[in-house]
Structure formats: C-alpha cells, structure tokens
Amino acid sequence: MISAGTFHVISTELTIGMFALSGVAFLLCMLKKGPDSREAVAHWALLGGLIATPLAIISGINASPGDGIDNPLLANKMLLSMTSAGLAIGVLIRRKMGAAVDARHAGIGMASVGLMLTTAGMGGEFSRGETLLLFVPKETVMIFPLWASIVLIILGIAILSKSAIEHRS
Amino acid sequence: MRVKVIIMLCVLLLSTTVSTANPGGKGDDVRSRDCAGSCHASSSSNGVSTATLDITFPNEVYAGLLIEVQTSIGSVDVSSNSMVGMTLLINSDGAKDLPANDGWEVVTDPNGGSNNYVEISDTFSSQNPVNRSWTLRAPSEPGTYGLYLAVQHGTPEGGVAMSGISDIQSVLVEEVPENLPRLSPGWEPTNTRGLGEETTITLETMNTDSATVELMNGAEVIVIPVVDNQFTIPAAVNPGVVQWRVILEGEGPTQSSPWFRITAQEPGWEVDETALYLQSIALFLLCAGLVIMQRPKNEDIIKDYDNTDHVVATVETSLDTISDESQSPPIPAGGIPEGWTMEQWEYYGHEHLEKMARGEV
C-alpha cells in the first residue's frame, strides 16, 4: 500500500498534466492556430484531467496533516477545484451537444484550466511554503451560509435538468 | 507572435527561485530518516552536515516510565530561515527506524506535538549549540536500547541540502522497582491549550502517598498543590510554553517526573466543513449548469443525424465519376485498335470511331 500523500502526488500530477495540455490546446483553439487535432486534444485531455480530479481531491484531504480542513489554503483548494471541475464538465457536455469550439467555448475551457492550475499552485504553497501566486488572496475564504449553498445547489440542478430536457427535445 | 511567446517564457523562467529540497520545511510528523527531498536534486546539491549531535538520557531509566531526553545540535551554519529538521531514530538504515519500532513513545516533542521529526528555528551557528527536550516513554521491556539524532538543514549560501546523523547513544532500561512512586503507564500529559483558559490536569499515580507539582515560570519555580489528584495551571495571556513536573512521594524513593510542556497557542483556523462541502457542490453544479446553458445557436449545431451535406457531396462525386466514365467512347465490336491502351482509347477513341464511320479504317 502507498500512503495518501504519495497517492495524492500521483493523482495531482496526472490531473495537472492533463489540464495543462488541455489549456494549451484550448489556447490554440482560441487563436485558431495549430493542427486540426487541437479540438480533440483539448477536450480529451480535459476529460482525462476531470477523471483524475476526484482522486486528487480525496487523497489530498486524507493526506493533509491534522484533522479535516484546518487551513484556509485547503478550503480554497477545495472550492477552486470543484469550480474548475464544474466548468470542465460544462465544457465537455456543451461540446457533446454540438457547440462549435469558438472563442467563448475555448475561453471557458481555459478558465477551468486556470482555476485548476491555481489550485495546484496553492497546494505547492501549503506543502512547500513557496508559490508564484504572490498576489492572490489565498488566505481569504468566502463561505456562503448553508441556506445560500442549498439554494445554489437547487438552482444548479434546475439549470442542468432544463438544459438536458431542451437538448433532448 | 514568436517574440511575444519567447519573452513570456523568459519572464516565467526568470521569476523562478533557485532552491533545493524543501526550504520551507515539511512540517512535523512521524518520519523515517530521509533526504528531505534532496534525492531529487543532483549530487552536487547534497552534503554531509558538520553539526555535532548529542543525546543525553537521565541517570535512571525505568521500563514503561516517562523520561526527559535532551538533544543538542552545535557547530552548524544553516540557511537564512534558521531552520533545522531533527529526527529521533533507532537506527541509521533509513528503514524500520522509528522509535516506536523499539517500544519508545514520543509523548511530547520539542514543539509540543508527539512526533519523532520536528522542525525548529533558532539561532543556529557554529558557536551556539541549540538544546531541545523530548519527553519519551521508555520501552516496556528492560534492556539496552539506542537512539540516534538525525538532522537536515540548508546552508548559508543556499543550494545545498545537508543531512547528518549522530553516533548511537545507548541507554540501559531497568525493571521498575515494585514500590516506586510513579505515574500510571496509561497516563498521558496534555500538550496544548488555548489562550486565556485555565488548564486542570488530573494525575494518575501508583504507589504514591502524596504529590506536588512544580511549575516553571521563567527562572522561578512555583509550587502548586495537588488536590484529589488534580491541579490547575493558570491561564496563558500570550502564546508560549510552560513547563511543569510532579514530585511523587510514597514508600519507595521519591521520584520526579520529567518536565512536561504545555504550549499555549492561538486558536487554529476553523471552518464549518458542512458549509464548505455544500458550497463546493453548489459551485460545481452551478458552473456546469451555467456553461451548459450557453446552448449553441441553431447555426452552430452539428447534429450527428443530419448527414444531408455528406450525402449530397457523396452523390455528386459519384455522378461526376459516372459522367467521367461515360465520356469514354464505346468500344467497337472488334475491340480497340491493336496496340492501343484504354487510356489512349479514352482520349482518341472518338476520332477512331469517326474514321470508322467514314470508312477510312
């Protein structure tokens, strides 16, 4: 067996590598440069990174010292990675629905990649004490009240359901 | 465009810092001896520490009882963050070297935790040895045991990860005398507390008629009465460490416990984890929904089942092919002229047929 820390390193590198590749491919899509395969690379790499993301999150929580989430960096990592994963899933489903890979689509993909890379950068600061994200307010955590989160969850489910129904029709 | 990309890459490269191993430390933990991350660097980035390392045991060590062990680190120059990681180990092999493997228990480490690896920041220098106290529970089986002190640190110039380990320091662990006043084997001291709160500690003793607690307040020692095996340490106003020990009296020889340390610290960062997890799920669903809601316009939709364009293009290509083939002149009953190829017939067949019609051939 390997420790949660080692597994977290493996899953994190897998996630970040795939997301970084996807980000470069989305950049090429936005610039309309590079080979035709850029669209396929962007989306397949995003899907690969997305699959590895839950493993990275779970192993990261298990590997963190102390009990639970006791550091603002960890809380922000959780929020950012889930936001990034949401955007990534949205991009993939939107593409599956037949959307063209235009500047808006590529921009959302790059935003997802950017959030995930920011998450990784904060992980580096948490474990090694060093970061390039000097001006990002990493120590500030904005937590919604419970009722607001529940409302947002319901809203999100409603939007997803509506989109699914419209797509089927 | 290429120039911009190159400039961007240069800026990124120049913004990185040159460092080795884990300059910010790895955090206190239960760790085997390792290279502190320097194993990922080249051999020129590693070095052997010149630190003089020592472990001092008390005169008498009884099996299963608490003892205070002093460690000393001297003759060492470290990096600008003045940090040294030190580890208590039972061998120098780098495997199965945790104190627990020999039955030792780290009850209180120098930082107030219960780890065998701690990172300390102090005025390390070649002239100034730095001492730290550990509270250990001795192995439960009498015998001769040994401990090593390993260190890892940086250098003043940076760029090199240094590691070192002491010689083995042996200690004889004796059988506990039957009537020895002592703390119960299962009793654990409190290591941390919050600011502004009194700390009441309950002692569990054996073969003890009376107990007295001594609290070290700076250089002054304050005696605190023990009532019903309980005593109270006054609240701390500022973060810091106070030390106390208990004097146990009974039929056997009077015993003093090790100095226990209680670290008063600011309350840690806390978050309502339920709210955090719910918000994470909410952001996930909301972001996915909002992106999907950006439905493509009708002209952007490429429906998998709408193959009209493909079919039309295929049919037109087929018709063109058929048309091209039909341009080839019909082959007469006697076949194409001798020596002609089909390609020649396609090009010149019409002329040959016209000549045949005129009776010239």
Side-chain angles (χ1 to χ4, degrees):
Chain A
M1 289 293 289
I2 59 174
S3 66
T6 305
F7 187 69
H8 182 59
V9 171
I10 295 169
S11 56
T12 301
E13 290 181 358
L14 201 61
T15 305
I16 297 307
M18 295 241 192
F19 267 88
L21 174 63
S22 175
V24 172
F26 271 124
L27 179 63
L28 292 176
C29 291
M30 180 173 272
L31 299 174
K32 294 185 169 56
K33 303 272 186 187
D36 292 339
S37 57
R38 60 182 183 251
E39 291 182 11
V41 170
H43 291 91
W44 282 106
L46 195 63
L47 178 63
L50 203 54
I51 291 171
T53 299
L55 303 177
I57 293 175
I58 294 168
S59 61
I61 291 173
N62 290 333
S64 65
D67 296 327
I69 297 174
D70 55 3
N71 189 302
L73 284 176
L74 294 179
N76 275 326
K77 273 164 64 72
M78 166 74 82
L79 295 176
L80 283 179
S81 58
M82 290 295 277
T83 305
S84 171
L87 289 177
I89 279 201
V91 165
L92 290 175
I93 294 177
R94 190 168 179 269
R95 176 62 177 158
K96 183 71 178 171
M97 287 163 61
V101 185
D102 53 9
R104 181 171 59 179
H105 186 89
I108 298 171
M110 288 175 64
S112 170
V113 171
L115 288 175
M116 193 58 81
L117 295 185
T118 305
T119 305
M122 290 165 63
E125 178 169 7
F126 180 75
S127 59
R128 298 172 65 89
E130 292 185 323
T131 183
L132 281 176
L133 306 172
L134 300 175
F135 304 108
V136 178
K138 303 174 287 291
E139 303 287 337
T140 304
V141 185
M142 289 182 286
I143 300 290
F144 300 153
L146 273 178
W147 63 265
S149 293
I150 292 170
V151 168
L152 287 178
I153 288 175
I154 294 170
L155 190 63
I157 292 173
I159 293 172
L160 284 171
S161 306
K162 183 169 178 288
S163 298
I165 292 168
E166 285 181 357
H167 180 61
R168 289 176 67 182
S169 63
Chain B
M1 185 65 190
R2 287 182 184 173
V3 175
K4 289 179 183 174
V5 171
I6 290 171
I7 291 173
M8 192 171 72
L9 288 175
C10 289
V11 169
L12 284 174
L13 286 174
L14 290 173
S15 65
T16 57
T17 56
V18 178
S19 60
T20 59
N22 295 293
K26 303 190 299 181
D28 297 358
D29 207 344
V30 177
R31 297 184 194 278
S32 286
R33 187 186 182 204
D34 64 14
C35 64
S38 59
C39 49
H40 291 287
S42 68
S43 57
S44 62
S45 301
N46 304 321
V48 177
S49 173
T50 58
T52 55
L53 307 171
D54 193 23
I55 302 175
T56 305
F57 292 99
N59 295 329
E60 292 174 330
V61 177
Y62 293 116
L65 298 192
L66 299 174
I67 61 169
E68 185 173 6
V69 172
Q70 294 285 340
T71 56
S72 171
I73 302 172
S75 302
V76 61
D77 290 314
V78 301
S79 59
S80 56
N81 63 9
S82 301
M83 180 185 285
V84 169
M86 60 178 183
T87 323
L88 277 185
L89 303 167
I90 60 168
N91 67 47
S92 57
D93 301 335
K96 294 185 177 178
D97 55 0
L98 298 178
N101 288 340
D102 257 359
W104 295 98
E105 180 190 354
V106 179
V107 177
T108 311
D109 65 40
N111 287 345
S114 56
N115 304 298
N116 75 316
Y117 172 83
V118 294
E119 288 165 350
I120 54 174
S121 296
D122 207 323
T123 52
F124 290 97
S125 71
S126 52
Q127 293 83 28
N128 183 39
V130 172
N131 301 316
R132 286 292 186 275
S133 296
W134 303 67
T135 302
L136 306 182
R137 188 182 297 282
S140 55
E141 294 295 325
T144 302
Y145 294 85
L147 284 176
Y148 292 82
L149 176 64
V151 292
Q152 50 203 33
H153 56 84
T155 56
E157 300 80 19
V160 181
M162 311 292 283
S163 61
I165 189 166
S166 70
D167 295 328
I168 187 169
Q169 303 293 318
S170 298
V171 61
L172 177 63
V173 176
E174 301 175 83
E175 190 91 43
V176 183
E178 280 188 8
N179 60 352
L180 187 75
R182 57 186 184 270
L183 294 164
S184 297
W187 180 82
E188 296 281 349
T190 303
N191 286 336
T192 58
R193 62 175 177 160
L195 292 178
E197 58 187 41
E198 291 184 337
T199 307
T200 300
I201 294 176
T202 302
L203 298 173
E204 296 173 16
T205 58
M206 297 174 65
N207 304 322
T208 302
D209 296 332
S210 65
T212 310
V213 166
E214 292 181 345
L215 180 71
M216 190 179 289
N217 183 16
E220 184 186 6
V221 175
I222 303 169
V223 177
I224 299 178
V226 177
V227 180
D228 294 336
N229 280 338
Q230 286 189 332
F231 67 97
T232 302
I233 297 178
V237 179
N238 298 311
V241 178
V242 294
Q243 299 186 83
W244 65 274
R245 69 175 179 178
V246 58
I247 314 296
L248 303 166
E249 295 178 39
E251 287 185 11
T254 298
Q255 289 291 304
S256 298
S257 73
W259 285 101
F260 299 112
R261 292 174 297 283
I262 298 185
T263 304
Q265 55 193 16
E266 301 273 4
W269 187 83
E270 290 181 356
V271 65
D272 182 351
E273 294 193 10
T274 306
L276 180 68
Y277 288 131
L278 274 180
Q279 184 173 333
S280 299
I281 295 169
L283 287 172
F284 174 81
L285 291 173
L286 195 65
C287 288
L290 288 175
V291 174
I292 295 170
M293 199 168 66
Q294 304 291 318
R295 289 172 59 82
K297 296 174 183 174
N298 290 335
E299 58 267 27
D300 292 334
I301 293 176
I302 304 167
K303 293 182 176 175
D304 292 340
Y305 50 81
D306 184 3
N307 295 321
T308 308
D309 293 341
H310 176 69
V311 171
V312 168
T314 307
V315 169
E316 284 177 351
T317 306
S318 302
L319 290 174
D320 288 345
T321 306
I322 293 168
S323 174
D324 290 344
E325 287 174 355
S326 65
Q327 287 174 358
S328 177
I331 299 172
I336 62 174
E338 190 176 347
W340 285 38
T341 63
M342 279 305 294
E343 190 176 4
Q344 289 172 319
W345 178 254
E346 288 175 6
Y347 283 99
Y348 306 111
H350 291 290
E351 294 175 10
H352 184 77
L353 289 174
E354 287 171 5
K355 287 180 181 178
M356 283 179 68
R358 291 197 297 268
E360 295 176 0
V361 179

